[in-house]
C-alpha cells in the first residue's frame, strides 16, 4: 500500500503494538494524526526527538565546557542516517573517529538509501561499525521489527569489525511521545525486540534512549538493563543520570553536531575495549566519581528539571513547575547562584546541587517534598506528589535508600538527594 493511500485510511483502526505485523502504512495512518504527515524517515535519527526538544545552541554551550572531563573513555565516534548522504569516511577517520553506527531501518518498510555507502565505507576506512534501527512500536511488534532490521543490514557477525545492532527507542517523531503504548506494553515491546535479536544473532542489541523518555514511557523499567548494553543520550555535559536498570553505559551521545557528520558519540572504554565489545560481552567501567550530581542546563526537560524547579521554589523562586528548563528557570538558577557566591552560569552542577537541596523528613511539607515525591515516582516508588511528607513518603524513601545501599533512615539528605537525581 502506498503512503498516499495509507493517509486516507480511517484513524479509527486499532493499532496492536506488541503483536503480529500490521500492514505498515495502514498502521501509521491509523496511529498518526494527519498533521504529522508526510513521512520523514531520512531525518529520523538517533536523538532527533531530543534535539527537537532543546533550544538551538544551548545544547552545545554546555557540552563544550564539560563533556570531555566527565566520561571514562575517550574514543570518539558518530552515528548517521540518510540525512548525511555520502560521507567522506577517510576524512572522518583522519579526524579521530574510532567507530560509527549507521541507520539501517525504521519500522518494517523503510531501509536507508545511504546504508551501504555508510556501512561499508566506514569499515573500509578502518572504523568499527554497527547498524541501528529506529523503532516505531505502534506499527508492528518488537519481534517483527527485529527481524526486519536483521534482514536489511542489522545483523551481527563475530568478525571484529561489527558492533551489535542498536535499538533506537525514543520520542515518537509522528505523534504521542510513547506511541500510544502503556509503560508495561512498551517494556514488553522492547523485550520482544531484544530477545528476537539475540535469538537470531547471538547478541543482545545495545539500547539507545534518554533518561526522560525511559522514565516516561517504561516507568523507568530495570528489565532491559539486565542484559542489554546502554547507549545514553544526554546533551547536558554529563552521561548521568542513567535510566533505571543500568549502573553504567557503553556509549554516550553527547551532541547532535560537531567534528564528525551526524551525532557525536563517546565509547566508555579503550580501543581494546571497543574490540572486545565488537566480539562479545563487554562490561564498561562505572561513571567517574563525582558524577552522581548531573550537569543540567537550559534546554533540559523531564524529572530532573522538575526537581530543580521545585527546589528553586523552595528557596524563594516563583517558577511554574513544568519540567522544562527554559529561560525563566535559568534566570532563577543564576539568581540563586549569585546569592550563594557560586559561579553564576545558570548551569546546575555539583556545587549548585549541593547548595540547592534541602534535607527533608517526615512531617515536612512544601516544594522540596514535592521534588522528593516526584523523583521517587520516577524511580518506580510511586507516591502522591502533594508536598506532605507523611508515612507513605517515608516508607518509599526507606525502600529507595535500601535499594541504593544508603542508610535507610527515611531522611532525604545530600546522599539520598544525589541518588535520587542521578
Amino acid at each position: 500500500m502506498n503512503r498516499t493511500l495509507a493517509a486516507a485510511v480511517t484513524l479509527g483502526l486499532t493499532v496492536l503494538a506488541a503483536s503480529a505485523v500490521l500492514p505498515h502504512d495502514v498502521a501509521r495512518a491509523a496511529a498518526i494524526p494527519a498533521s504529522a504527515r508526510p513521512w520523514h524517515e531520512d531525518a529520523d535519527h538517533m536523538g532527533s526527538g531530543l534535539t527537537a526538544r532543546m533550544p538551538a545552541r544551548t545544547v552545545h554551550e554546555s557540552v563544550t565546557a564539560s563533556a570531555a572531563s566527565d566520561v571514562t573513555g575517550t574514543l570518539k565516534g558518530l552515528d548517521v542516517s540518510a540525512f548525511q548522504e555520502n560521507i567522506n569516511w577517510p576524512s572522518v577517520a583522519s579526524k579521530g573517529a574510532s567507530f560509527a553506527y549507521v541507520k539501517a531501518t525504521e519500522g518494517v518498510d523503510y531501509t536507508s538509501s545511504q546504508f551501504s555507502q555508510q556501512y561499508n565505507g566506514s569499515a573500509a576506512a578502518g572504523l568499527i561499525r554497527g547498524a541501528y534501527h529506529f523503532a516505531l512500536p505502534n506499527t508492528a511488534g518488537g519481534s517483527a521489527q527485529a527481524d526486519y532490521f536483521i534482514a536489511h543490514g542489522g545483523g551481527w557477525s563475530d568478525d571484529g569489525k561489527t558492533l551489535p545492532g542498536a535499538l533506537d527507542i525514543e520520542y515518537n517523531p509522528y505523534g504521542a511521545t510513547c506511541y500510544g503504548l502503556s509503560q508495561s506494553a512498551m517494556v514488553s515491546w522492547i523485550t520482544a525486540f531484544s530477545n528476537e535479536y539475540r535469538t537470531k544473532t547471538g547478541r543482545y542489541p545495545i539500547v539507545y534512549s534518554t533518561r526522560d523518555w525511559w522514565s516516561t514511557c517504561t516507568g523507568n523499567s530495570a528489565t532491559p538493563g539486565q542484559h542489554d548494553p546502554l547507549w545514553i543520550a544526554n546533551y547536558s555535559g554529563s552521561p548521568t543520570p542513567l535510566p533505571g536498570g543500568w549502573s553504567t553505559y557503553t556509549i554516550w551521545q553527547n551532541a547532535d553536531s560537531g567534528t564528525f557528520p551526524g551525532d557525536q558519540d563517546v565509547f566508555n572504554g579503550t580501543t581494546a575495549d571497543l574490540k572486545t565489545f565488537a566480539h562479545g560481552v563487554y562490561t564498561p567501567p562505572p561513571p567517574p566519581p563525582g558524577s552522581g550530581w548531573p550537569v543540567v542546563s537550559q534546554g533540559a526537560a523531564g524529572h530532573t528539571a522538575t526537581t530543580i524547579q521545585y527546589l528553586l521554589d523552595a528557596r524563594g523562586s516563583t517558577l511554574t513547575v513544568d519540567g522544562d528548563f527554559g529561560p525563566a528557570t535559568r534566570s532563577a538558577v543564576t539568581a540563586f547562584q549569585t546569592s550563594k557566591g557560586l559561579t553564576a552560569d545558570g548551569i546546575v552542577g555539583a556545587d549548585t546541587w549541593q547548595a540547592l537541596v534541602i534535607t527533608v523528613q517526615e512531617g515536612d511539607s512544601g516544594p522540596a517534598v514535592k521534588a522528593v515525591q516526584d523523583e521517587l515516582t520516577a524511580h518506580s516508588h510511586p507516591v502522591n506528589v502533594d508536598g506532605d511528607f507523611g508515612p507513605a513518603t517515608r516508607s518509599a524513601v526507606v525502600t529507595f535508600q535500601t535499594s541504593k545501599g544508603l542508610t535507610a533512615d527515611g531522611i532525604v539528605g545530600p546522599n539520598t538527594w544525589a541518588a535520587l537525581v542521578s
Side-chain angles (χ1 to χ4, degrees):
M1 178 179 291
N2 65 40
R3 292 193 165 146
T4 301
L5 178 59
V9 177
T10 175
L11 296 182
L13 292 174
T14 300
V15 177
L16 303 177
S19 60
V21 181
L22 293 176
H24 188 57
D25 295 320
V26 175
R28 285 196 183 181
I32 301 163
S35 61
R37 305 186 189 104
W39 320 110
H40 44 68
E41 292 100 328
D42 285 356
D44 297 342
H45 64 91
M46 285 184 161
S48 54
L50 177 58
T51 301
R53 284 161 171 75
M54 304 185 76
R57 296 307 96 199
T58 59
V59 170
H60 310 299
E61 288 167 359
S62 63
V63 169
T64 300
S66 57
S69 63
D70 201 25
V71 63
T72 303
T74 58
L75 291 187
K76 298 177 182 179
L78 63 156
D79 58 88
V80 296
S81 67
F83 186 77
Q84 280 72 43
E85 297 186 343
N86 291 325
I87 294 173
N88 184 338
W89 288 106
S91 175
V92 170
S94 71
K95 292 178 181 178
S98 297
F99 66 97
Y101 266 92
V102 176
K103 181 177 180 179
T105 52
E106 179 172 322
V108 291
D109 75 343
Y110 169 83
T111 302
S112 170
S113 62
Q114 301 298 317
F115 177 73
S116 294
Q117 189 277 341
Q118 294 173 345
Y119 191 73
N120 296 327
S122 56
L127 278 66
I128 298 179
R129 64 0 179 191
Y132 77 86
H133 174 77
F134 194 99
L136 295 177
N138 60 336
T139 65
S143 295
Q145 292 198 32
D147 287 340
Y148 185 81
F149 175 47
I150 294 166
H152 295 84
W156 172 80
S157 59
D158 189 9
D159 56 11
K161 62 180 181 181
T162 304
L163 297 168
L167 170 63
D168 178 2
I169 185 79
E170 58 170 293
Y171 308 96
N172 180 4
Y174 298 105
T177 296
C178 301
Y179 301 84
L181 273 65
S182 67
Q183 292 176 339
S184 61
M186 184 65 75
V187 173
S188 295
W189 192 98
I190 295 167
T191 300
F193 184 102
S194 176
N195 288 343
E196 180 71 3
Y197 190 86
R198 183 170 188 300
T199 297
K200 294 294 179 63
T201 70
R203 293 289 301 273
Y204 283 111
I206 183 170
V207 172
Y208 168 98
S209 197
T210 67
R211 183 193 185 237
D212 173 62
W213 186 92
W214 196 262
S215 178
T216 300
C217 297
T218 75
N220 215 25
S221 172
T223 300
Q226 296 174 10
H227 42 64
D228 295 331
L230 174 65
W231 186 338
I232 184 67
N234 193 331
Y235 299 169
S236 71
S238 170
T240 58
L242 302 178
W246 286 282
S247 59
T248 188
Y249 62 94
T250 300
I251 299 175
W252 170 27
Q253 185 191 76
N254 59 13
D256 67 345
S257 64
T259 302
F260 310 121
D263 304 307
Q264 313 298 290
D265 301 292
V266 181
F267 179 77
N268 188 7
T270 65
T271 300
D273 294 330
L274 180 63
K275 293 177 180 178
T276 296
F277 184 51
H279 281 294
V281 177
Y282 166 62
T283 303
S291 63
W293 295 103
V295 179
V296 189
S297 61
Q298 185 173 339
H303 291 289
T304 306
T306 297
T307 295
I308 290 169
Q309 291 171 330
Y310 275 133
L311 289 171
L312 286 167
D313 281 355
R315 295 290 189 177
S317 298
T318 55
L319 293 168
T320 298
V321 179
D322 57 8
D324 288 324
F325 196 132
T329 300
R330 185 183 188 281
S331 178
V333 170
T334 301
F336 175 77
Q337 291 170 324
T338 300
S339 73
K340 295 297 182 180
L342 302 169
T343 301
D345 56 7
I347 300 172
V348 182
D351 290 342
T352 301
W353 273 115
Q354 292 175 73
L356 189 59
V357 297
I358 299 171
T359 297
V360 292
Q361 57 189 308
E362 188 170 359
D364 290 335
S365 61
V369 174
K370 287 186 177 181
V372 170
Q373 292 168 330
D374 190 71
E375 285 289 354
L376 286 169
T377 299
H379 283 276
S380 300
H381 301 287
V383 293
N384 290 330
V385 183
D386 57 10
D388 290 323
F389 200 130
T393 298
R394 184 184 188 280
S395 177
V397 169
V398 169
T399 301
F400 174 77
Q401 290 171 325
T402 301
S403 72
K404 298 296 182 180
L406 301 169
T407 301
D409 56 7
I411 300 171
V412 182
N415 289 338
T416 301
W417 273 115
L420 281 170
V421 302
S422 66

